Amino acid sequence: MQNSFSDFDFSGKIALMRVDFNVPLDEKKNITDATRIQAAKDSINTVLQSGGKVVLLTHFGRPKGKKSEEFSLQSLVPQLEEILGHSINFLEDPTSVNARKWIEDFPEKSLILCENIRFYPGEESGDDSFATQLAKLGDVYINDAFGTAHRRHASTAVLAEKFSKTKFFGLLMEKELHAIEKVLKEGKHPITAVIGGAKVSSKITVIENILPAIDHLIIGGGMAFTFIRANGGMVGKSMVEEDKIELAVDLMRKCETYNVKLHLPVDVIAASEFNNASETSEEDIMKIPFDKMGLDVGPKSRALFHDVILDSKTILWNGPLGVFEMPTFAKGTVALGDAIAEATALGAFSLVGGGDSVSFVKQFGYEDKVSYVSTGGGAMLESLEGKELPGVAAITAKN
Ligand code: AMP
């Protein structure tokens, strides 16, 4: 049976915890978005409060296996202490022979942060002897880094294999995995997936994998035009992947096979230039003038999508419905955010995941109006694609 983090007594133990503190900085090295650090707080505090020590492992940037001042975590310590509300002891070289003893000498409830784990080439190559070295630092291993769970790196997966019974998902990982299960395995019907963004090609495996689980599929954004072309529509200068039209036909057939109702936009906000100041017009999506491109969904589509969302009990959202970075073309995505917020307030479960929809949700203030916003873009998409994440498999595997 899977070990549970919450049931374990950490007193007197050293917990080696992989977190994802790969946060954005401004030019003065101020952390501009602390979401990932905040997200790890519950796991850290749980171990400390039960009388254990925590040794944090994280990557930061892409130092490509070499030490560099630019990617050192040392200068971030004061900011991390403030966000975590706890003093931090910085371990400059987690591979040094004295590292374990150095950690042991601290009193219980101490928090230790190791230098950027990607300073070591063995991290990204998933080197076994590097993982064995790291394993000596702790008595138990906790993975709370959902954002890197799709990578088989030394500290995200191989290290877990060095701990047989004493390896756990952290609380953030548990929440992330549960949110995906809540949609794909235990979702209350009707289940609706909204897939938007630029290209069909980057979302195809996600769509194929979720079809058996869902009832409605809303497609928006640039990728909708490839489907419209497949249906014989004239899309003008809109973004189209000509070589993916066959694929769109195939996906539409699969929707029928799985009894999934597909909802494509019926109208667009069109412009002649890819520019916020460009003059706009509302057009029927099947008859966009040859010199114009659709950059957002129109009012009829918004109303249609609103009704589908309000009928849903479970909603999965990945990708914007238009070029939301330009205010003129953000209205469709805002309307979708409003509809999902409304459905959530009425009791639906809504999960938002994947790069651009997450930045949209944060930027436009929907974070507290949806049920769950995933912290891991790539990891979230890979689990929706049905792939087993190495960081997850290493914890659940018996060894
Ligand atoms: P993705 O990374 O595939 O989720 O795509 C997100 C990007 O798709 C965003 O930067 C949007 O600006 C872009 N996008 C959404 N709708 C359109 C559209 N109709 N035409 C061109 N780009 C779009």
Side-chain angles (χ1 to χ4, degrees), residues 336-354:
L336 175 72
D338 285 342
I340 295 179
E342 203 181 326
T344 310
L346 292 170
F349 177 82
S350 52
L351 166 62
V352 184

Side-chain angles (χ1 to χ4, degrees), residues 54-197:
V54 176
V55 177
L56 295 173
L57 296 170
T58 181
H59 72 288
F60 178 59
R62 293 173 187 266
K64 303 208 166 105
K66 289 200 189 83
K67 291 193 168 66
S68 79
E69 211 184 308
E70 184 189 355
F71 296 113
S72 172
L73 289 166
Q74 189 148 25
S75 63
L76 300 184
V77 166
Q79 293 183 73
L80 293 173
E81 286 180 325
E82 188 158 345
I83 300 164
L84 294 173
H86 204 285
S87 61
I88 290 175
N89 307 286
F90 188 71
L91 176 54
E92 212 175 311
D93 183 7
T95 62
S96 90
V97 282
N98 302 322
R100 170 83 195 198
K101 173 82 175 58
W102 186 82
I103 295 166
E104 280 173 357
D105 285 347
F106 284 104
E108 62 178 31
K109 302 189 180 182
S110 291
L111 179 58
I112 287 123
L113 171 69
C114 296
E115 180 57 288
N116 192 347
I117 206 69
R118 285 198 189 160
F119 279 2
Y120 301 88
E123 167 63 1
E124 285 180 87
S125 65
D127 185 64
D128 195 75
S129 55
F130 178 54
T132 304
Q133 241 175 333
L134 292 177
K136 290 184 188 138
L137 302 182
D139 308 316
V140 306
Y141 171 79
I142 296 160
N143 191 347
D144 214 19
F146 183 69
T148 46
H150 56 316
R151 311 263 183 236
R152 189 177 157 76
H153 291 173
S155 71
T156 60
V158 189
L159 183 51
E161 293 161 8
K162 311 290 168 202
F163 295 83
S164 56
K165 289 207 173 91
T166 50
K167 53 181 179 179
F168 310 95
F169 292 125
L171 297 172
L172 172 67
M173 276 284 258
E174 275 180 1
K175 264 200 283 183
E176 292 274 359
L177 297 173
H178 186 59
I180 295 166
E181 265 187 17
K182 246 183 131 167
V183 174
L184 296 185
K185 293 207 182 123
E186 308 157 4
K188 282 197 195 141
H189 293 268
I191 304 178
T192 298
V194 186
I195 308 287

Side-chain angles (χ1 to χ4, degrees), residues 196-199 202-203 221-222 225 239 274 294-295 319-323 325 356:
K199 292 186 171 165
S202 62
K203 306 280 167 81
F225 299 110
M239 165 183 280
F274 192 80
L295 294 176
L321 295 189
V323 185
E325 297 91 336
D356 272 314

Side-chain angles (χ1 to χ4, degrees), residues 108-395:
E108 62 178 31
K109 302 189 180 182
S110 291
L111 179 58
I112 287 123
L113 171 69
C114 296
E115 180 57 288
N116 192 347
I117 206 69
R118 285 198 189 160
F119 279 2
Y120 301 88
E123 167 63 1
E124 285 180 87
S125 65
D127 185 64
D128 195 75
S129 55
F130 178 54
T132 304
Q133 241 175 333
L134 292 177
K136 290 184 188 138
L137 302 182
D139 308 316
V140 306
Y141 171 79
I142 296 160
N143 191 347
D144 214 19
F146 183 69
T148 46
H150 56 316
R151 311 263 183 236
R152 189 177 157 76
H153 291 173
S155 71
T156 60
V158 189
L159 183 51
E161 293 161 8
K162 311 290 168 202
F163 295 83
S164 56
K165 289 207 173 91
T166 50
K167 53 181 179 179
F168 310 95
F169 292 125
L171 297 172
L172 172 67
M173 276 284 258
E174 275 180 1
K175 264 200 283 183
E176 292 274 359
L177 297 173
H178 186 59
I180 295 166
E181 265 187 17
K182 246 183 131 167
V183 174
L184 296 185
K185 293 207 182 123
E186 308 157 4
K188 282 197 195 141
H189 293 268
I191 304 178
T192 298
V194 186
I195 308 287
K199 292 186 171 165
V200 191
S201 46
S202 62
K203 306 280 167 81
I204 174 80
T205 2
V206 173
I207 299 176
E208 283 184 332
N209 188 54
I210 61 179
L211 281 181
I214 64 176
D215 306 295
H216 296 273
L217 174 63
I218 294 176
I219 291 204
M223 61 189 273
F225 299 110
T226 305
F227 287 84
I228 298 299
R229 286 276 289 111
N231 282 338
M234 313 280 278
V235 299
K237 292 201 289 183
S238 306
M239 165 183 280
V240 173
E241 286 173 279
E242 290 290 340
D243 60 334
K244 297 291 178 300
I245 293 177
E246 271 305 306
L247 199 86
V249 172
D250 187 48
L251 270 180
M252 290 195 277
R253 269 195 219 114
K254 283 189 177 140
C255 283
E256 275 174 31
T257 311
Y258 287 108
N259 219 357
V260 173
K261 180 107 181 61
L262 174 65
H263 306 270
L264 290 167
V266 290
D267 58 350
V268 290
I269 305 298
S272 44
E273 303 299 330
F274 192 80
N275 185 331
N276 189 49
S278 185
E279 202 176 304
T280 61
S281 60
E282 286 173 26
E283 307 288 347
D284 180 331
I285 201 164
M286 299 297 280
K287 290 181 233 157
I288 301 175
F290 74 94
D291 57 347
K292 291 194 169 183
M293 61 186 103
L295 294 176
D296 193 10
V297 293
K300 290 190 190 113
S301 313
R302 290 175 215 160
L304 201 107
F305 296 167
H306 174 271
D307 293 349
V308 177
I309 296 286
L310 266 285
D311 267 348
S312 308
K313 294 270 184 295
T314 306
I315 303 148
L316 167 71
W317 179 19
N318 173 277
L321 295 189
V323 185
F324 75 97
E325 297 91 336
M326 301 185 202
T328 311
F329 307 107
K331 295 187 189 85
T333 311
V334 168
L336 175 72
D338 285 342
I340 295 179
E342 203 181 326
T344 310
L346 292 170
F349 177 82
S350 52
L351 166 62
V352 184
D356 272 314
S357 24
V358 173
S359 38
F360 173 83
V361 162
K362 285 187 182 168
Q363 204 180 316
F364 287 75
Y366 290 99
E367 230 174 337
D368 297 328
K369 296 178 183 162
V370 296
S371 312
Y372 195 74
V373 182
S374 175
T375 57
M380 162 93 188
L381 285 183
E382 287 198 19
S383 42
L384 290 176
E385 283 173 12
K387 292 185 187 154
E388 191 176 47
L389 307 179
V392 173
I395 296 282

